[in-house]
Amino acid sequence: MEPATPMEIGPRVLPPSDRWSPALALPAPVCRFENFLGAERAAALLEYAIAREEDFRAGTVLDPLTGQVSRKGRDSLVLPVTSEVFSAHLADCLPLVQEVLGHRAVLAQSLTVLTAHGEGGHFGIHTDASRVRDVSTALSAVYYLHRTPRGFGGGQLRLYDTVVDDGRARPGESYRTIEPEHDTIVFFPAGAFHEVVPSTCPSGWFSDHRFTLTTWISGGEPVMAPDAHRPDVWRWLADAAEGTRPLHDAAQDHDGARPVALPPPGPDTRLGPSGHRT
């Protein structure tokens, strides 16, 4: 077949303009691992979460302006936890996570809570600025647990794009969806706007809930000076999240989590030039 003849799109169809008007939509960088803890550890952690049903409490949010703790926009159960083994797994994979996400800040500590979402469980659009001292360099991580077959529906994580329009950053309407698959973990910037869409749990049993270990990873102190090596996407994410950052430092985490120092990483997990682990 003969190739088609190119057609000219003239100025009557696309009139010229001397003003640059498009808005830039930046997706939040994401790094996801499957089989994070392995079948045996994941099963044991899930049974632990189910067995601690009576210890869970209603999850809260922190108003960035007033500092008041409430449950507005959130319906979930939480249990603050610590785990040397889980922290070691985080530390071991963080070099690879940072390489994939283009993240160069020093990470020193984490906060972790077990969460459970049942019928109607959700968490409206928010950032994790209330969990960390410097949202421009901190990471959020969500590790998923559930029984097989899955006893709940919904509960997906939505990560919203950041729109840069006329030099100002704001959350966009577009997003990517992360499915809550058992024994998987997803890492993303703490400044990214995200939400947990409503879940269903037809049986009503606690064992059929959507469980997570949700962790916020940060440096020990905020970065005061701009980082010349920080990719622009991290700067725009932080700018968009600025309005959600608490004006006053909270004395403690509003869900009761406490910071735990991250251990040094184990075997090197950085990607080499060939794309394989070194």
Side-chain angles (χ1 to χ4, degrees), residues 203-220:
S203 72
W205 298 339
F206 188 69
S207 58
D208 282 337
H209 279 41
R210 166 196 181 273
F211 295 97
T212 73
L213 273 179
T214 302
T215 301
W216 302 278
I217 309 166
S218 61

Side-chain angles (χ1 to χ4, degrees), residues 50-244:
I50 294 170
R52 297 295 299 272
E53 178 179 2
E54 298 301 321
D55 297 314
F56 280 79
R57 297 293 182 266
T60 59
V61 297
L62 182 66
D63 187 285
L65 295 178
T66 67
Q68 295 297 312
V69 176
S70 72
R71 299 174 187 171
K72 183 179 179 181
R74 183 180 188 185
D75 185 350
S76 62
L77 299 172
V78 300
L79 175 64
V81 293
T82 61
S83 168
E84 292 184 3
V85 172
F86 189 72
S87 293
H89 276 264
L90 290 176
D92 286 349
C93 74
L94 278 178
L96 178 56
V97 171
Q98 291 183 277
E99 187 165 338
V100 171
L101 299 185
H103 182 273
R104 296 175 178 84
V106 175
L107 298 172
Q109 63 184 30
S110 64
L111 293 170
T112 303
V113 297
L114 260 172
T115 75
H117 288 74
E119 184 66 32
H122 66 279
F123 200 155
I125 301 176
H126 64 286
T127 77
D128 291 331
S130 67
R131 305 287 189 168
V132 295
R133 296 193 64 185
D134 186 1
V135 72
S136 70
T137 59
L139 294 177
S140 297
V142 184
Y143 172 73
Y144 296 101
L145 291 162
H146 62 75
R147 281 194 162 174
T148 304
R150 189 184 297 182
F152 66 90
Q156 294 88 353
L157 172 68
R158 286 180 178 174
L159 284 173
Y160 283 82
D161 295 340
T162 294
V163 173
V164 181
D165 191 3
D166 197 24
R168 298 175 65 89
R170 58 177 171 81
E173 296 182 2
S174 54
Y175 54 83
R176 72 181 68 185
T177 300
I178 308 295
E179 286 290 335
E181 300 291 348
H182 179 70
D183 197 23
T184 66
I185 190 170
V186 60
F187 295 83
F188 55 92
F193 279 83
H194 56 284
E195 73 171 317
V196 179
V197 304
S199 59
T200 61
C201 186
S203 72
W205 298 339
F206 188 69
S207 58
D208 282 337
H209 279 41
R210 166 196 181 273
F211 295 97
T212 73
L213 273 179
T214 302
T215 301
W216 302 278
I217 309 166
S218 61
E221 296 293 334
V223 178
M224 302 304 294
D227 183 357
H229 300 291
R230 184 177 59 173
D232 281 344
V233 64
W234 286 84
R235 175 169 59 89
W236 290 120
L237 286 169
D239 288 348
E242 182 64 21
T244 69

